[in-house]
Amino acid sequence: MVRQMRRLAAVLAGTLATALLSLGTTGPASAAPKPPPPGVDITGVGLAEPLRLRAETQPAHVGAVIDQVNFLGRTGMASGPKPADLGPKYTVVVLAGDAPKQTYDLYPKAVGGPRVFRPAKQPDGRKTSAGWFLGRLSMSETLRTAGVPLERQFDTVSGGVGGGERVLPEDTLDPAKDLDEALGDLQRLLLLNVGVMLTITVGLAGIALLIRRRTR
């Protein structure tokens, strides 16, 4: 019985060693290949040749441009603004390495806010539905900093999709006006507090005088 147990243990040990050796020799060869780095190509108004951005050299710009289209849902609006209200068009092609995967048309100056159009036909052959989407309000600045010839915008505050971001009116950017309003509010608050204190003081004095007269 003891000999049989020893033989079984030896067989199990040999099997385990063989399995470990096979894993050690075949593990690296069977590892999943590293995905190619992303990139984007941009063409459109004012660009004599495609603007080619690659993650190896410009990762921040590539990430910012892809962020303008990576939130789109499965279905969008069937129709967009009138052609006269769209403004300049910029086509963004998202790549994996050198292979184009997705394409989008961006309209950063569209009336009513930036727009994104996703064509039904995509470079990688996947099936999708054509649709219009509200773009991020940071679209124009993102494209401009990436190299697209657009005028700089100073009133965009990033932080959302479409209406998720906000635009500050020009009058709210006047620090002198804000300071005057703050001082005026403080002055009115102090006057109100003084008035309340005078009312309380007069009331207490009247009550004290009434009590004094009744106790005589």
Side-chain angles (χ1 to χ4, degrees):
M1 183 68 179
V2 174
R3 290 181 178 179
Q4 292 180 350
M5 294 298 296
R6 289 179 177 176
R7 290 179 182 177
L8 180 60
V11 171
L12 290 176
T15 304
L16 181 59
T18 303
L20 291 175
L21 287 174
S22 64
L23 288 175
T25 56
T26 61
S30 61
K34 186 178 179 181
V40 293
D41 287 346
I42 305 175
T43 57
V45 178
L47 293 172
E49 58 184 20
L51 181 62
R52 306 183 189 279
L53 306 175
R54 299 296 181 266
E56 298 95 329
T57 55
Q58 297 169 299
H61 292 325
V62 170
V65 173
I66 293 178
D67 187 57
Q68 296 295 320
V69 296
N70 66 355
F71 65 91
L72 304 183
R74 292 181 177 272
T75 58
M77 294 176 286
S79 60
K82 298 178 181 179
D85 296 334
L86 286 173
K89 168 185 171 181
Y90 296 95
T91 299
V92 172
V93 178
V94 181
L95 304 98
D98 294 328
K101 294 295 183 180
Q102 303 167 15
T103 182
Y104 304 90
D105 295 333
L106 275 58
Y107 300 88
K109 299 294 186 179
V111 175
R115 294 291 193 276
V116 178
F117 175 71
R118 181 180 61 200
K121 185 178 181 181
Q122 293 292 312
D124 60 356
R126 65 188 177 93
K127 294 182 178 179
T128 187
S129 58
W132 288 87
F133 301 85
L134 291 173
R136 298 185 186 277
L137 294 184
S138 59
M139 182 187 295
S140 180
E141 276 299 284
T142 297
L143 294 177
R144 186 191 67 81
T145 55
V148 175
L150 290 168
E151 293 183 1
R152 186 172 184 180
Q153 290 184 340
F154 297 92
D155 56 351
T156 302
V157 179
S158 60
V161 177
E165 298 177 343
R166 60 189 176 93
V167 177
L168 298 177
E170 292 184 0
D171 56 356
T172 62
L173 299 178
D174 186 354
K177 181 178 179 180
D178 292 341
L179 181 59
D180 292 340
E181 291 180 354
L183 291 176
D185 292 340
L186 180 60
Q187 185 178 10
R188 287 190 292 271
L189 181 61
L190 290 175
L191 291 175
L192 179 62
N193 289 336
V194 171
V196 171
M197 291 299 297
L198 287 176
T199 302
I200 294 175
T201 302
V202 172
L204 291 176
I207 293 173
L209 181 60
L210 181 61
I211 293 175
R212 184 177 180 182
R213 288 181 178 178
R214 289 186 175 182
T215 55
R216 285 182 178 179

